Amino acid sequence: MTQAIDRPDVASTASGADPFPVRGVDHVLFVVGNARQAAHYYSTAFGMTCLAYRGPEQGHRDYAEYVLVSGSARFVLRGSVRAGTPGAEHHARHGDGVLDIALEVPDVDAAHAYAVKQGATSLAEPYDVTDEHGTVRYACIATYGETRHTLVDRSRYYGPFLPGFVARDPIVDRSAAIAAGTQPKRFFQAVDHIVGNVELGRMDEWVEFYRRVMGFTNMAEFVGDDIATDYSALMSKVVADGTRKVKFPLNEPAAGKRRSQIDEYLEFYGGPGAQHIAVATNDILASVDAMRAAGVEFLGTPDSYYDDPELRARIGPVRVPIEELKKRAILVDRDEDGYLLQIFTRPVQDRPTVFFELIERHGSLGFGKGNFKALFEAIEREQERRGNL
Ligand SMILES: [Fe+2]
């Protein structure tokens, strides 16, 4: 009931229940230039397992789609098999990127009706799709840029992924490496949060969108331009569902001396979109070692970050010696609830747009605010190398 105090204009049911309950992120749909090769990359470099596929062989005439999983995280990689499809046009505009952050909900009709009543744009009215494994109900609403949220109720479905997809063998057999202990069984277990970059001056509008349309609430973390570097200012707020399972930080560029990393993203992606996907790992050291060995490039961190006595005092004891973090350029941040370890990849496609974060949480519910400055400086070194600063 306290939610009503925070959200006076959000309609609640008679019982005070969440007006837009979500079970979690169902899957993240990436549009890519070559899904077959992307599936190989996410298998080898991210340790994911290819679970399902659909394409022309299944009568799916426009696209080849590969489903990769790691723990509860599911990625769908969509490549166009011919020109002129909406996916091919999306790819021409944005390059590889996130088209859809699909949310699992217990009641698609109620969620869609609520969202539309609260001002969301409907991209698809509720509908069923059935195959021999059962039925899934879907609807879809628009969010920032050309990004969308498909709403999924899979409670009556028992197939490998979603109707129309067929099970397929993993692309890469990692069993020998896992048995030998040279690779963890999974490099990560879940999606932790997905960050959206939105237009200059529109962050609060999108925070309000998630509050009004999905009943999400603000999390404490707020990043103003006060902690920005000279060049790379941004503003950031975080919204989350009532259970804190779905967390969406939203960034907008702020005025700095020169072009910020958010401006660079908006220019090269061609508008607002998902900036990074943070995946949760329970052993970030093993994950980083395995991913580096497979060729994933991470942002560097200067030695001065680890040698700073202020940092050592601020973070206190963590589960591994700081030297182990320094060796791998893993960042650490602490708040009143605990601490977190995190590291960011370089962009995973040619455009300087989408990247990944690995995060290992020990109590902390934050997003690494204490690291933003060190992180910005690392990103600026990369922007400089690309001639975009
Ligand atoms: Fe993050």
Side-chain angles (χ1 to χ4, degrees):
M1 293 306 282
T2 54
Q3 286 176 340
I5 295 164
D6 298 327
R7 302 179 292 163
D9 62 329
V10 172
S12 61
T13 60
S15 62
D18 187 340
F20 194 103
V22 292
R23 294 211 167 104
V25 172
D26 188 88
H27 63 271
V28 183
L29 172 67
F30 295 79
V31 169
V32 299
N34 187 336
R36 181 184 295 244
Q37 289 191 6
H40 193 279
Y41 175 80
Y42 284 101
S43 299
T44 53
F46 281 62
M48 300 183 81
T49 302
C50 190
L51 189 77
Y53 167 85
R54 73 171 169 179
E57 302 87 339
Q58 284 72 42
H60 192 56
R61 312 243 7 123
D62 290 346
Y63 305 113
E65 295 178 313
Y66 293 79
V67 181
L68 283 287
V69 300
S70 186
S72 66
R74 299 188 191 104
F75 296 169
V76 180
L77 308 170
R78 171 183 291 174
S80 287
V81 298
R82 58 188 182 79
T85 68
E89 284 162 13
H90 190 280
H91 189 263
R93 285 192 296 279
H94 301 292
D96 287 14
V98 174
L99 170 63
D100 197 333
I101 303 163
L103 300 173
E104 189 184 355
V105 299
D107 187 336
V108 166
D109 294 74
H112 179 267
Y114 184 83
V116 170
K117 190 176 116 223
Q118 296 293 109
T121 300
S122 175
L123 297 176
E125 297 291 314
Y127 63 101
D128 282 342
V129 181
T130 298
D131 70 5
E132 69 271 30
H133 304 295
T135 298
V136 172
R137 192 154 181 83
Y138 302 95
C140 188
I141 60 170
T143 181
Y144 47 76
E146 292 198 78
T147 316
R148 45 180 77 168
H149 292 300
T150 288
L151 309 173
V152 181
D153 171 11
R154 55 168 63 253
S155 61
R156 294 175 293 150
Y157 193 70
Y158 307 95
F161 176 56
L162 287 170
F165 286 83
V166 295
R168 66 154 288 162
D169 292 337
I171 291 166
V172 176
D173 181 4
R174 296 195 303 112
S175 54
I178 294 166
T182 55
Q183 282 193 4
K185 188 159 183 281
R186 293 187 181 118
F187 295 9
F188 56 92
Q189 284 75 37
V191 170
D192 186 274
H193 61 271
I194 301 175
V195 181
N197 281 341
V198 301
E199 308 91 331
L200 177 68
R202 294 195 61 193
M203 175 186 66
D204 283 326
E205 221 174 286
W206 287 108
V207 167
E208 170 61 16
F209 171 87
Y210 281 104
R211 196 184 66 83
R212 199 180 64 240
V213 166
M214 296 193 183
F216 283 22
T217 51
N218 272 25
M219 289 186 74
E221 190 127 319
F222 169 80
V223 179
D225 51 7
D226 52 320
I227 63 131
T229 62
D230 282 351
Y231 297 137
S232 211
L234 66 72
M235 310 259 276
S236 182
K237 285 181 182 171
V238 184
V239 293
D241 77 303
T243 66
R244 298 292 191 249
K245 258 186 291 186
V246 178
K247 299 179 280 290
F248 293 149
L250 296 159
N251 297 331
E252 68 169 313
K257 282 184 195 157
R258 290 165 82 181
R259 182 155 61 163
S260 85
Q261 50 163 304
I262 312 302
D263 291 317
E264 187 193 37
Y265 175 100
L266 293 171
E267 179 185 339
F268 283 85
Y269 191 69
Q275 177 209 37
H276 74 266
I277 294 124
V279 292
T281 167
N282 51 30
D283 187 351
I284 196 169
L285 282 76
S287 305
V288 168
D289 289 349
M291 290 171 76
R292 267 215 183 92
V296 176
E297 295 183 305
F298 292 93
L299 288 182
T301 308
D303 285 353
S304 57
Y305 171 87
Y306 301 95
D307 301 336
D308 180 1
E310 235 176 72
L311 174 98
R312 291 188 181 239
R314 183 167 62 80
I315 62 163
V318 296
R319 74 170 179 89
V320 288
I322 288 214
E323 281 59 41
E324 294 301 312
L325 303 178
K326 182 176 175 177
K327 241 190 265 174
R328 297 169 176 83
I330 295 168
L331 303 163
V332 52
D333 198 18
R334 184 178 284 279
D335 57 30
E336 60 279 14
D337 301 313
Y339 73 94
L340 62 82
L341 305 174
Q342 64 183 169
I343 191 168
F344 298 85
T345 71
R346 288 195 169 132
V348 291
Q349 60 290 308
D350 300 324
R351 299 194 194 195
T353 54
V354 183
F355 58 89
F356 284 85
E357 170 185 353
L358 288 171
I359 185 164
E360 180 185 312
R361 293 185 183 276
H362 294 270
S364 170
L365 298 171
F367 298 85
K369 181 176 176 173
N371 289 322
F372 271 48
K373 195 169 159 72
L375 182 64
F376 288 179
E377 285 164 357
I379 291 174
E380 280 165 15
R381 287 192 295 276
E382 305 278 315
Q383 273 183 265
E384 183 117 62
R385 287 182 7 176
R386 293 191 285 264
N388 290 338
L389 190 62

